[in-house]
Amino acid sequence: MGRQVDISASRRPKDIGGGMLPIGAERARLRLVRAQSQGEDLAWRTRGGTNLKSLQSKTLISCVAIGLLAATCLAACGGQRESESQQSAANEAPSAASISAWSYADDCSLCHAAESNSLTDPACLAGIHAANGNTCQTCHADESDLAVVHEGANAEKAQKVTKLRKTGIKQDACLGCHGSYDDLAAKTADSTVLTDSEGKTVNPHALPANEDHSETTCASCHVMHTKKSVSETAPEYCISCHHANVYACHTCHD
């Protein structure tokens, strides 16, 4: 809306010597006043329109700049996440080549991460043995059997392995450091770790000789890669056969 032109009393005809202006002069004066008012109004509209266009232009430029900045940030963040994801995958999963070309000297931690971590945990038997200079190959010495079970192996399958089934720990690997069974039996003569529900106690290194016990090895009771102590793992092994937790034979079935 244009400015309201105020033709106030100051712009009305004035007396000339006590009289009014002639009609022609008055009309000319009024045209001059209107022209002046219209000029001021046009100048106001022009300034207002220019300011509005300037404001619109600045707003548009700001929006474009913000959009470009946002797109740049998203692209940078997306690239960083992709790079981190690729790096994580590279760290966690071994390459197909490393699996297909498995050898006895390979780094076992590529697939067996949990077991590898236990080597630095003093709460695990593996950690205690590693602190004394032992490696994976010290105990897992059956290279030919390991080569067979690693055919077609990969990291995903390795995560499902919780117990040795097709390979084992050679007794010599343990007895070579810890002495013979007779030596160990003398050390555990007073052990009460293997005590059944009826109070019968058995020396874990002097089990009664029979066909079932002949398959028992050091690794049957001594679990290396967990924090469970032998006071837990040894009774669990016995109960796997002595289901009623009674060690005396021929007592489970009539």
Side-chain angles (χ1 to χ4, degrees):
M1 183 176 181
R3 293 178 56 193
Q4 298 295 323
V5 179
D6 180 17
I7 305 177
S8 61
S10 62
R11 296 184 178 182
R12 292 172 185 169
K14 297 183 178 179
D15 293 340
I16 300 179
M20 303 294 291
L21 290 172
I23 294 176
E26 174 64 14
R27 288 176 178 174
R29 190 189 70 80
L30 290 176
R31 284 197 296 271
L32 179 61
V33 170
R34 290 193 185 96
Q36 181 182 359
S37 299
Q38 290 174 354
E40 292 176 357
D41 185 58
L42 177 60
W44 179 85
R45 288 174 179 273
T46 301
R47 288 195 301 272
T50 301
N51 291 338
L52 178 59
K53 290 182 179 179
S54 176
L55 178 61
Q56 290 174 338
S57 177
K58 291 179 179 178
T59 302
L60 178 59
I61 293 173
S62 298
C63 291
V64 171
I66 292 172
L68 291 174
L69 179 61
T72 302
C73 291
L74 288 174
C77 292
Q80 181 179 2
R81 285 195 296 269
E82 182 178 359
S83 177
E84 290 176 351
S85 177
Q86 292 174 348
Q87 182 63 37
S88 177
N91 290 338
E92 294 177 1
S95 65
S98 67
I99 294 172
S100 61
W102 178 88
S103 72
Y104 189 61
D106 276 347
D107 180 1
C108 303
S109 65
L110 290 175
C111 292
H112 302 283
E115 290 78 8
S116 178
N117 290 337
S118 71
L119 297 177
T120 58
D121 188 346
C124 299
L125 283 178
I128 297 173
H129 283 72
N132 285 279
N134 294 285
T135 65
C136 299
Q137 288 79 2
T138 302
C139 296
H140 298 277
D142 49 345
E143 182 176 355
S144 58
D145 289 341
L146 288 171
V148 173
V149 298
H150 281 88
E151 291 179 0
N154 56 46
E156 182 179 356
K157 292 180 180 179
Q159 302 307 312
K160 301 176 182 179
V161 177
T162 58
K163 187 177 181 180
L164 296 178
R165 300 184 185 281
K166 297 181 179 180
T167 65
I169 306 300
K170 303 295 185 181
Q171 290 292 87
D172 292 343
C174 301
L175 300 180
C177 292
H178 295 285
S180 67
Y181 262 103
D182 290 337
D183 294 335
L184 293 171
K187 294 178 181 179
T188 57
D190 298 326
S191 172
T192 59
V193 169
L194 298 184
T195 302
D196 68 7
S197 60
E198 296 182 347
K200 180 179 178 61
T201 299
V202 175
N203 186 334
H205 295 109
L207 300 177
N210 60 46
E211 184 178 354
D212 293 327
H213 289 162
S214 65
E215 298 178 0
T216 302
T217 67
C218 299
S220 300
C221 298
H222 298 277
V223 180
M224 301 292 291
H225 298 289
T226 72
K227 295 182 180 181
K228 298 177 71 174
S229 67
V230 71
S231 61
E232 297 177 79
T233 55
E236 288 175 356
Y237 173 72
C238 294
I239 292 175
S240 66
C241 289
H242 299 276
H243 306 296
N245 195 23
V246 176
Y247 295 156
C249 296
H250 311 295
T251 57
C252 294
H253 305 282
D254 296 333

